[in-house]
Amino acid sequence: MPAPPAFLRRGPLREGTFTSALHEPRTVVAVGRWLGVALLVCFLTGLTSHLLQGPPGWLAPHLPARPVNGYRITQGLHVISGLAAIPLVGAKLWVVYPRLFEWPPARSVLHALERLGIAVLVAAVLLELFTGLLNTLQWYPWPFPFRQTHFWLGWLATGGLLVHLAVKAPLVASVWWRRAAPALAQRRAFLAATAAAVGTVTLVTAGQSVPWLRALDLLAPRRPDIGPQGLPVNRTAAQAGTVTVPVGWRLRVDGPRPYELTLADLAELPQYELELPISCVEGWSAAARWTGVRMADLVRRAGALPGSAVRVTSLEVEGPYRVMEMPAPYVDDPLSLLALRVNGEVLDADHGFPARVIAPNRPGVLQTKWVERIEVIA
Ligand SMILES: Nc1nc2c(c(=O)[nH]1)N[C@H]1C(S)=C(S)[C@@H](COP(=O)(O)O)O[C@H]1N2
Ligand SMILES: [Mo]
């Protein structure tokens, strides 16, 4: 059989186009290890967030209301690991990009499938990190729903990553411990630069959830200590359609023995003061001192037994967080309040005046503001 013509053997690029000695497996594995850890942490914490935010029916009664700071920590880690993954993906792709011009593009059906898998993996990871980053900025320049898309892309990326690792396992194993002697100094510099990029990104953003890094919080969209009453606001009363509290507002509690309470009635009930964080899914979190009535006391008064779940409705006219369901473990927890005050003052309109929910180990989106009604549902 005659040899194929030269251009088919060589491909469109000249030999030696990619001159760096760093386009080699040992560097790929070094960066890939860090990236793998970041993506794994990001995936697991993301899954946690998804389940806490919208649990399937069978799971809801078992969600834990403790540890108090659980969601604050997992969601803080989610955003920290996701942001760290951005420079890591950049470094990883730079090390391997000459493979994009591999010639011939496919040596066999299997090889073609492997490359297709990598294309899906890279696309899923890039889109996942991009949508996540824009979400931390509350910017949604796309027509699809963020949370579902982010969730399924996460599975796609993780599945793609596992297949990729399985295919590359022999290669990874063969270089895992080996030192790349010829390019050692260059590699060290490259890895140090990558680490410095990751460290910088982390240090200037992690302060949005890590209190002792607050002073360095230069690039995160929010400072957790700036906002009315020393607490940031995700959606102001004006953004929520100028929530108007009717004159003579009453809290309505529906259950076996429904009743209504005025603000003065609520203030007469036993008040509890405790410190709980708002932990926004977008990455910031901040602790505050809340004062109010226990959720459990309110639903007991309506004749509901322990183990009841409730639905809470806001005065807000429309919005994805107008109605919230609270599973029994949160309702029964002595730390779950219908708060009337924050940091010693009556709630600001932007923090949910006249009353808002605050409960331990829950995403911020479920800490419903401007509450008007509580219904016992099960
Ligand atoms: N009714 C209602 N409650 C809401 C929201 C909302 O849009 N509508 N936003 C939630 C979100 S996303 C967060 S992070 C917290 C923020 O509470 P804060 O504004 O008091 O800090 O409120 C939650 N409660
Ligand atoms: Mo939020």
Side-chain angles (χ1 to χ4, degrees), residues 69 72 76 79-80 136 202-234 275-280 282-290 342-343 351 356:
N69 282 309
R72 182 177 200 186
V79 175
I80 287 170
T136 68
T202 305
L203 283 177
V204 297
T205 53
Q208 63 182 324
S209 57
V210 183
W212 40 272
L213 287 177
R214 195 152 288 178
L216 296 174
D217 179 9
L218 302 171
L219 288 190
R222 289 209 185 54
R223 277 278 308 249
D225 48 355
I226 295 179
Q229 301 171 319
L231 192 65
V233 171
N234 222 43
E275 186 164 303
L276 280 184
I278 295 270
S279 316
C280 183
E282 276 131 37
W284 62 269
S285 58
R289 212 156 27 82
W290 305 93
V342 63
N343 293 334
H351 286 311
R356 67 101 46 89

Side-chain angles (χ1 to χ4, degrees), residues 78-329:
H78 183 66
V79 175
I80 287 170
S81 57
L83 289 173
I86 294 173
L88 288 173
V89 162
K92 173 79 162 65
L93 289 180
W94 179 81
V95 178
V96 297
Y97 89 96
R99 300 292 295 268
L100 198 58
F101 306 99
E102 206 176 338
W103 207 263
R107 291 189 302 273
S108 64
V109 173
L110 205 61
H111 185 229
L113 281 177
E114 191 210 327
R115 298 199 75 191
L116 192 67
I118 291 177
V120 172
L121 169 63
V122 172
V125 168
L126 290 181
L127 199 57
E128 185 73 336
L129 294 176
F130 178 72
T131 53
L133 176 67
L134 263 56
N135 179 251
T136 68
L137 306 170
Q138 282 193 300
W139 183 20
Y140 306 98
W142 46 66
F144 47 79
F146 167 75
R147 191 152 74 92
Q148 284 74 3
T149 311
H150 199 64
F151 175 72
W152 289 112
L153 274 175
W155 281 103
L156 192 62
T158 305
L161 185 61
L162 291 179
V163 171
H164 179 57
L165 279 175
V167 171
K168 298 291 188 193
L171 178 64
V172 172
S174 73
V175 299
W176 189 271
W177 299 112
R178 206 197 306 148
R179 310 198 132 252
L184 201 56
Q186 231 181 2
R187 243 189 82 227
R188 271 211 194 115
F190 176 73
L191 294 181
T194 304
V198 172
T200 307
V201 165
T202 305
L203 283 177
V204 297
T205 53
Q208 63 182 324
S209 57
V210 183
W212 40 272
L213 287 177
R214 195 152 288 178
L216 296 174
D217 179 9
L218 302 171
L219 288 190
R222 289 209 185 54
R223 277 278 308 249
D225 48 355
I226 295 179
Q229 301 171 319
L231 192 65
V233 171
N234 222 43
R235 194 145 174 267
T236 61
Q239 284 168 331
T242 311
V243 178
T244 35
V245 182
V247 188
W249 171 91
R250 280 155 189 268
L251 173 74
R252 177 165 178 83
V253 184
D254 278 323
R257 290 197 306 271
Y259 64 92
E260 289 190 352
L261 294 176
T262 64
L263 200 49
D265 297 336
L266 272 170
E268 290 291 305
L269 298 180
Q271 304 288 306
Y272 295 87
E273 181 168 290
L274 42 87
E275 186 164 303
L276 280 184
I278 295 270
S279 316
C280 183
V281 294
E282 276 131 37
W284 62 269
S285 58
R289 212 156 27 82
W290 305 93
T291 313
V293 182
R294 277 188 181 153
M295 283 301 274
D297 290 353
L298 291 171
V299 303
R300 271 336 144 259
R301 192 185 165 113
L305 296 171
S308 306
V310 300
R311 180 181 300 128
V312 176
T313 309
S314 168
L315 286 167
E316 192 184 358
V317 188
E318 57 171 29
Y321 312 123
R322 195 177 76 87
V323 179
M324 174 276 280
E325 287 187 7
M326 181 183 266

